[in-house]
Amino acid sequence: MLLHELLEETFKFKIMKTIVSIFAIFCAVQSFAQNSFGDIIGSFVTKEKKEGIYGAYAVTSRGNEFFKAVTNEDGRFRISAVPAGVYKVFLIDQEGDTTFVTETVEVSPNGYGNTGEVVQNKTELGPVIVTSGPRSLKLGVLPEIKLSAKDIKYMPTKFEAKKMIATMTTDVRLMDDGSLVFRGARKGDLVSYLDGVKMTDVQNVPSASLGYIMVYSGAIPAKYGDTTGGVVVMETKSYFDLLLEYEMRK
């Protein structure tokens, strides 16, 4: 084989190796992002006797995508595999009448939003086409340490992310050098994620753009990696969250 042919083959191999590496990283990020799902739970009851309504559709949407569940004999429902965010929910009984849930529901990864008991209030809506994708959800443990967008809005430390996280739990301390340390762990053991991307440190994101902050000081889900120093998860508001806020202000 001539020298120039050998160099050409070597160059092609390096290009293919680079493409494969980039594709692998992309798939890993996509896989992590696709695990950021939660559930919406609640119950649907009649107005008179407060009896559970069987066989009704509980529905919510995100853009052009719909998520649904069917109520059981007690009127309970669970809409699974819903991307983290804030949602409006409505229920359609077997006669085609619709009841809207007055309050929005916030869903966090591996957690759930609860509509509570929804009392039937028939509303004329017209025909509704409901579709759902073939998604499945591996349920995790709902973290107890969490700040929602509403909580963050009124936090006195909302302009400094690390101070805000340090006030969420006594398991986290803010050191003099500005680093966060979990109790029982060394400096640098903390793992931080922003919108599903692993960061080298906690980012000082504008508070108005934050959807929620969660702190895992124990029982860390496997998807966040192997660490003894705790995990900080920060998610910013999506386009649909901001659109919903705008519509609610009208």
Side-chain angles (χ1 to χ4, degrees), residues 38-104:
D39 292 358
I40 296 177
I41 64 173
S43 60
F44 190 34
V45 299
T46 59
K47 187 174 183 179
E48 296 78 14
K49 298 182 180 180
K50 296 296 180 72
E51 295 177 343
I53 300 174
Y54 172 71
Y57 279 112
V59 185
T60 190
S61 64
R62 190 174 185 84
N64 295 324
E65 187 173 14
F66 285 85
F67 305 88
K68 68 179 179 67
V70 180
T71 58
N72 63 13
E73 293 82 357
D74 299 321
R76 299 181 184 276
F77 63 86
R78 179 184 290 270
I79 308 175
S80 298
V82 179
V86 180
Y87 293 88
K88 289 182 178 179
V89 180
F90 60 92
L91 296 110
I92 308 172
D93 61 27
Q94 294 187 19
E95 296 178 358
D97 295 312
T98 304
T99 297
F100 291 93
V101 179
T102 55
E103 299 293 331
T104 56

Side-chain angles (χ1 to χ4, degrees), residues 5-24:
E5 292 178 344
L6 179 62
L7 292 174
E8 184 178 349
E9 290 296 322
T10 303
F11 178 75
K12 288 181 180 179
F13 174 76
K14 288 183 178 180
I15 291 293
M16 289 301 299
K17 186 177 179 180
T18 302
I19 292 174
V20 170
S21 299
I22 294 172
F23 180 75

Side-chain angles (χ1 to χ4, degrees), residues 1 15 40 53 58 73 75 93 98-99 116 123 138-139 145 159-160 167 170 177 189 195 209 214 235 237 245:
M1 182 180 290
I15 291 293
I40 296 177
I53 300 174
E73 293 82 357
D93 61 27
T98 304
T99 297
T123 304
K138 296 180 180 179
L139 294 178
I145 309 169
F159 298 111
E160 298 182 66
T167 60
T170 55
D177 60 359
D189 283 346
D195 289 339
S209 67
M214 293 189 296
E235 289 284 340
K237 296 176 182 176
E245 285 184 7

Side-chain angles (χ1 to χ4, degrees), residues 29-46:
V29 172
Q30 286 294 100
S31 175
F32 181 89
Q34 289 172 0
N35 286 329
S36 298
F37 298 121
D39 292 358
I40 296 177
I41 64 173
S43 60
F44 190 34
V45 299
T46 59

Side-chain angles (χ1 to χ4, degrees), residues 67-176:
F67 305 88
K68 68 179 179 67
V70 180
T71 58
N72 63 13
E73 293 82 357
D74 299 321
R76 299 181 184 276
F77 63 86
R78 179 184 290 270
I79 308 175
S80 298
V82 179
V86 180
Y87 293 88
K88 289 182 178 179
V89 180
F90 60 92
L91 296 110
I92 308 172
D93 61 27
Q94 294 187 19
E95 296 178 358
D97 295 312
T98 304
T99 297
F100 291 93
V101 179
T102 55
E103 299 293 331
T104 56
V105 179
E106 183 176 357
V107 178
S108 59
N110 303 307
Y112 62 89
N114 193 345
T115 65
E117 187 178 80
V118 182
V119 179
Q120 187 180 37
N121 182 17
K122 297 182 179 182
T123 304
E124 293 294 332
L125 184 65
V128 176
I129 300 175
V130 179
T131 59
S132 63
R135 288 179 171 171
S136 60
L137 175 67
K138 296 180 180 179
L139 294 178
V141 179
L142 178 66
E144 297 180 358
I145 309 169
K146 173 187 173 184
L147 286 178
S148 66
K150 291 181 181 179
D151 299 324
I152 295 170
K153 183 178 180 180
Y154 297 105
M155 288 285 291
T157 55
K158 64 182 179 181
F159 298 111
E160 298 182 66
K162 290 184 177 180
K163 285 186 178 180
M164 187 162 48
I165 292 167
T167 60
M168 292 173 62
T169 172
T170 55
D171 289 339
V172 183
R173 281 195 304 150
L174 180 61
M175 308 302 288
D176 293 336

